[in-house]
Each structure stands twice: as structure tokens, then as C-alpha cells.
């Protein structure tokens, strides 16, 4: 079943689409930001716990990377909401949407790194290095697949499908390099 039923023109105006896309993106980022803030708060309290002094140099390195990337993720995922408030009614909504999309991706990368390092630190402390490495690799692979690779593969397949349907219908399409505005994709 094909989700791209384009038998009727898009009922949204470009302004309505931009409004909807920005609202959807900001809502998603706010949800992610809450999770990052919880992780960041946990990490900030960890050095003050009784057992923190027992972790080795590798544990300290994992902790440092986890804290820095959690801070980066927090900054990136909170920035679009703050910028939205500052740029409100400035006519720069398209710019804000593109910027928020990029910040969301960078924030997701930083969050994945922080989660891998945090989990590695905990598992290494509780069990040992071998299991920590295996679990860290699994978490890194799962977040890379679900957050980045799978959506990119879907995007590439959709774009290839668009090119194929253009060729079949006799349109060379004036292909715009994947920047088509007729899909609901955020820029």
C-alpha cells in the first residue's frame, strides 16, 4: 500500500504547511529535550555519589564524554524553542524550521553518544569491560539504525520512487535534487 496518494492537490497553503511542520518539529524536540534533561541531571549528580571514586580512568573518560554530549544534546534540543520565542512573528519561520531540523539531528547524535557512554559506564562498573563493550555496541547500533539509518534509507527509497514515477510518466521532472516541497518533509 502506497502512502503517497497524490490524486488531489495538497489542501494546505505553503504558510499552513510551514506552520504545521514547525509545530510538529517543536513538539518532538520538546519531548526529546525532557529525556535529555533527566539523563543530564543524573550525570551531574553521579560524581557526588559514594562509589564514583572507585571507577577507573576509562570510567572517568566515559563519564566526561557522557556529560559533555548530554549538555550538547540539551543545548541543541532546547535551542529551537528558545529561538522560536525570539523570532516569533519575524517572518523567519522557514529559516527557523531548517535550523531546528538540523539542531534536532545534531542533538540526536549527541544524545546517542551520551546514552552509549552512560550505559557503558554503568554496565562496566557493575559487571566488567566485555559486557559493557557488547551492550554499548548494541545501543550504538540500535540508535544509529532507528534514529538515522532507517529514516535515511526510507528517504532515499522515496526519492528513488519519485524519480522512477517521473520517468514512467514521461516527465524528466526538472528534478530539484531532493528539495521538493510537495512532501511533508521538514527541510
Amino acid at each position: 500500500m502506497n502512502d503517497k496518494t497524490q490524486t488531489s492537490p495538497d489542501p494546505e497553503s505553503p504558510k499552513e504547511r510551514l506552520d504545521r511542520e514547525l509545530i510538529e518539529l517543536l513538539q518532538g524536540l520538546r519531548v526529546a529535550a525532557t529525556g535529555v534533561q533527566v539523563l543530564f541531571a543524573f550525570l551531574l549528580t553521579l560524581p557526588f555519589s559514594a562509589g564514583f571514586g572507585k571507577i577507573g580512568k576509562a570510567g572517568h573518560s566515559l563519564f566526561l564524554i557522557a556529560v559533555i554530549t548530554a549538555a550538547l544534546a540539551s543545548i541543541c534540543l532546547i535551542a529551537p524553542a528558545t529561538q522560536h520565542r525570539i523570532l516569533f512573528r519575524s517572518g523567519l519561520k522557514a529559516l527557523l524550521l531548517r535550523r531546528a531540523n538540523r539542531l534536532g539531528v545534531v542533538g540526536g547524535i549527541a544524545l546517542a553518544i551520551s546514552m552509549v557512554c552512560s550505559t557503558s559506564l554503568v554496565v562496566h562498573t557493575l559487571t566488567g569491560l566485555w559486557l559493557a563493550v557488547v551492550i554499548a555496541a548494541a545501543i550504538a547500533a540500535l540508535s544509529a539504525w532507528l534514529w538515522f539509518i532507517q529514516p535515511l534509507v526510507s528517504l532515499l527509497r522515496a526519492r528513488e520512487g519519485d524519480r522512477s514515477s517521473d520517468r514512467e510518466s514521461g516527465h524528466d521532472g526538472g528534478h530539484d535534487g531532493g528539495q521538493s516541497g510537495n512532501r511533508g518533509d521538514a527541510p
Side-chain angles (χ1 to χ4, degrees):
M1 181 171 201
N2 190 350
D3 289 340
K4 292 193 284 181
T5 54
Q6 295 183 358
T7 56
S8 64
D10 193 354
E12 292 180 313
S13 71
K15 183 189 178 315
E16 290 170 332
R17 176 176 294 171
L18 192 59
D19 289 343
R20 178 184 51 78
E21 288 175 348
L22 183 60
I23 288 167
E24 290 172 357
L25 181 61
L26 288 174
Q27 286 174 343
L29 292 175
R30 285 182 182 126
V31 169
T34 302
V36 170
Q37 290 169 329
V38 170
L39 174 63
F40 192 41
F42 162 74
L43 290 169
L44 291 176
T45 63
L46 194 58
F48 304 104
S49 66
F52 189 74
K54 296 176 185 173
I55 66 170
K57 189 152 180 82
H60 284 111
S61 296
L62 285 171
F63 175 76
L64 185 61
I65 294 167
V67 167
I68 291 169
T69 54
L72 177 62
S74 293
I75 290 166
C76 290
L77 296 174
I78 293 169
T82 304
Q83 289 188 17
H84 181 255
R85 292 294 85 209
I86 293 169
L87 297 174
F88 187 69
R89 294 189 183 189
S90 66
L92 298 172
K93 199 174 286 185
L95 170 69
L96 179 60
L97 182 60
R98 285 189 305 276
R99 189 179 289 164
N101 190 56
R102 289 184 193 116
L103 286 166
V105 171
V106 171
I109 292 167
L111 175 58
I113 293 168
S114 184
M115 289 173 57
V116 167
C117 290
S118 301
T119 306
S120 297
L121 174 60
V122 171
V123 173
H124 181 251
T125 302
L126 294 175
T127 64
L129 179 62
W130 185 85
L131 188 57
V133 169
V134 170
I135 290 176
I139 290 171
L142 186 61
S143 61
W145 174 254
L146 291 175
W147 293 357
F148 305 105
I149 298 168
Q150 189 178 44
L152 286 171
V153 167
S154 297
L155 182 61
L156 291 172
R157 285 181 181 163
R159 287 183 178 166
E160 183 57 37
D162 288 347
R163 282 188 226 125
S164 294
S165 62
D166 284 345
R167 284 190 294 263
E168 289 171 6
S169 65
H171 294 94
D172 64 10
H175 182 64
D176 60 3
Q179 298 300 319
S180 176
N182 65 358
R183 288 187 298 273
D185 303 328

